[in-house]
DNA sequence: CGAATCTTTGAATCCTCTCAAGTCTTGTGG
DNA sequence: CCACAAGACTTGAGAGGATTCAAAGATTCG
């Protein structure tokens, strides 16, 4: 589905999305906008589809609008690890653009369905050359995102299993809160396992505890309601 | 010690260092170089001194020439974690410059003594404004550094204690190899503990094993010789 | 040389993993 | 719309690794 078909130009959603989340395009004049927006496609991707594959030559970057995307990295020894989770507003595949289409660092996999905007690398590159502050802003945003998510990953990889799972849930909850929702889109137990480096059976046990304690209540397929305060207390080792 | 005093201009060491490691200044003409280099100071810092402190307003960035610097982050609950190790050629404090002097993300602490080049943020900023490709290059370099070190940190945080310690040692060994040395500047057991989130007693036990097996031999204060092949085999779970 | 700090080592406990056997979901095809 | 197969999740029990607490032994630096 082409942007033009969607009346992207001036589409409040789009402007809001790109400008707000990347704070990048504010300085471009409208003509540049038009060029930019017309070659962006808006796509719906079903569960388990691939945005891109690790090491493959890169041609696009993506802005996530809805849903959760996991970035999986396969190491030399064949083990797979989720190194980041992307949600609404996050950008996927920028590393490849920065590196001139040399290849993606990870594979990007849709969890339970997602809406994304696909931006051709060529466009990105052109825009970067025409407007030098564009790439500076992108880089700053990207740096912050990378830095923040790096910290998150460390938190998912340390502490007791209980703490780790609680932190993953809180991370999910935080994103859902921003969208004004009281539900989270559940990661599968195996995904949480790949994210935390914990055996999936152990995750299952902890999740069962959380449900017993009423911290989590299933509210639909792949959906759960959560108790923010309770999870927070867990992570900070306080009484509820 | 001012740059001018050290005959920095044209100093092969300096050109080599900045140009080679950051691939950033190559495009600047010599006049720009002169402005730049004169306000850079070269400093020797003793063990345990601070390059900067977390959250303090930032005014400088640093290029590490010799020695090891640890970046420590204190979390809200008071716990401290080493989130990165910097060695020769790495850049410290760039995040603060990108964020307009808003404050450093971590505290940077010298381990056993270090030589660094201190670059005022103002200079950096000025240069960035005068030369738009400057900051792009810096960002690319920085992105790669951040990305690589993020991956390293994950490796330090997962797997058995034995694996983690071996990976830390290998990481150190790799840096020492680049300098053409067969020794590593040892981290203290507590530093390794803060880096791997493992109890320091457990680290001690593993290190004792390594010494018993001849993988490590003490060669001076804070110095050790290492067996590359043996450590590698450990991490990859192969026989030696 | 001596105080402070860092490291080693032991033993008991606790946590997490592994293996194994079920149960529950989800989505597909009749 | 239901039934079934495949995959996801749960739960138990035992083994092993890591932490903790405690006390003694090295190092380093002034």
């Amino acid at each position: 589905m082409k942007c033009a078909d969607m009346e992207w130009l001036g589409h409040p959603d789009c402007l809001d999305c790109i400008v707000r989340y990347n704070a990048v395009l504010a300085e471009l004049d409208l003509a540049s906008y038009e060029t930019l927006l017309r070659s962006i496609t808006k796509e719906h991707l079903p569960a388990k589809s691939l945005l891109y594959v690790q090491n493959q030559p890169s041609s696009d970057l993506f802005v996530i609008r809805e849903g959760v995307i996991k970035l999986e990295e396969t190491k030399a020894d064949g083990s797979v690890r989720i190194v980041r989770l992307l949600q609404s507003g996050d950008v996927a595949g920028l590393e490849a653009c920065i590196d001139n289409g040399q290849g993606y660092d990870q594979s990007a996999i849709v969890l339970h369905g997602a809406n994304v905007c696909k931006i051709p690398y060529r466009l990105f590159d052109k825009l970067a050359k025409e407007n030098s502050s564009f790439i500076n802003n992108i880089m700053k945003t990207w740096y912050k995102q990378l830095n923040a998510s790096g910290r998150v990953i460390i938190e998912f990889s340390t502490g007791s299993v209980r703490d780790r799972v609680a932190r993953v849930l809180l991370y999910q909850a935080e994103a859902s809160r921003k969208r004004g929702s009281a539900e989270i889109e559940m990661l599968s137990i195996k995904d949480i396992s790949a994210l935390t480096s914990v055996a999936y059976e152990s995750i299952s046990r902890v999740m069962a505890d959380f449900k017993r304690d009423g911290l989590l209540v299933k509210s639909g397929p792949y959906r759960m309601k959560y108790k923010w305060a309770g999870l927070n207390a867990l992570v900070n080792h306080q009484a509820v």
Side-chain angles (χ1 to χ4, degrees), chain A residues 8-240:
Chain A
W8 272 79
L9 204 50
H11 190 294
D13 236 35
C14 180
L15 286 179
D16 185 53
C17 164
I18 300 186
V19 173
R20 185 157 109 218
Y21 291 118
N22 293 317
V24 152
L25 299 178
E27 299 162 20
L28 299 175
D29 59 26
L30 276 181
S32 303
Y33 265 128
E34 193 170 349
T35 314
L36 173 71
L37 298 178
R38 279 199 192 287
S39 63
I40 295 175
T41 56
K42 189 178 176 183
E43 301 187 355
H44 175 77
L45 300 169
K48 293 173 193 169
S49 48
L50 289 159
L51 264 62
Y52 50 79
V53 176
Q54 185 175 354
N55 294 325
Q56 275 194 2
S58 48
S59 57
D60 308 284
L61 65 144
F62 302 82
V63 177
I64 317 305
R65 298 176 63 77
E66 269 184 77
V68 180
I69 275 83
K70 59 178 176 181
L71 297 187
E72 277 190 2
E73 201 168 300
T74 306
K75 288 194 288 186
D77 67 359
S79 66
V80 174
R81 173 110 212 245
I82 297 180
V83 299
R84 210 175 310 161
L85 286 180
L86 303 179
Q87 311 196 351
S88 352
D90 287 334
V91 180
L94 191 51
E95 75 272 18
C97 298
I98 288 172
D99 226 359
N100 287 311
Q102 284 312 295
Y104 296 101
D105 288 352
Q106 296 94 19
S107 296
I109 303 168
V110 176
L111 285 191
H112 308 305
N115 291 318
V116 304
C117 296
K118 182 168 157 182
I119 306 177
Y121 164 54
R122 281 189 186 168
L123 183 86
F124 176 88
D125 197 42
K126 191 179 167 222
L127 212 56
K129 287 202 173 93
E130 282 172 3
N131 189 312
S132 73
S133 68
F134 167 78
I135 200 160
N136 291 354
N137 284 326
I138 279 259
M139 289 290 215
K140 283 185 191 180
T141 308
W142 179 242
Y143 164 76
K144 282 179 199 162
Q145 193 179 312
L146 194 66
N147 203 30
S149 68
R151 202 163 312 166
V152 164
I153 280 293
I154 290 177
E155 295 196 334
F156 293 167
S157 306
T158 56
S160 67
V161 171
R162 210 177 161 73
D163 284 1
R164 294 190 203 186
V165 175
R167 281 194 280 253
V168 172
L169 292 172
L170 272 178
Y171 176 79
Q172 292 277 98
E174 213 155 337
S176 86
R177 278 188 139 194
K178 280 185 196 160
R179 293 190 304 270
S181 158
E183 289 182 334
I184 46 183
E185 183 172 335
M186 282 309 297
L187 296 166
S188 77
I189 268 187
K190 287 193 176 166
D191 283 334
I192 300 182
S193 168
L195 201 50
T196 55
S197 304
V198 163
Y200 68 87
E201 296 96 328
S202 300
I203 310 262
S204 174
R205 283 180 241 271
V206 170
M207 297 274 284
D209 285 348
F210 288 172
K211 285 174 199 161
R212 251 191 293 284
D213 299 345
L215 293 174
L216 290 176
V217 181
K218 183 158 187 175
S219 58
Y222 303 119
R223 311 221 134 263
M224 289 212 156
K225 283 186 184 158
Y226 57 85
K227 264 194 194 156
W228 175 270
L231 291 174
N232 241 313
L234 267 178
V235 168
N236 300 314
H237 302 281
Q238 300 158 350
V240 189

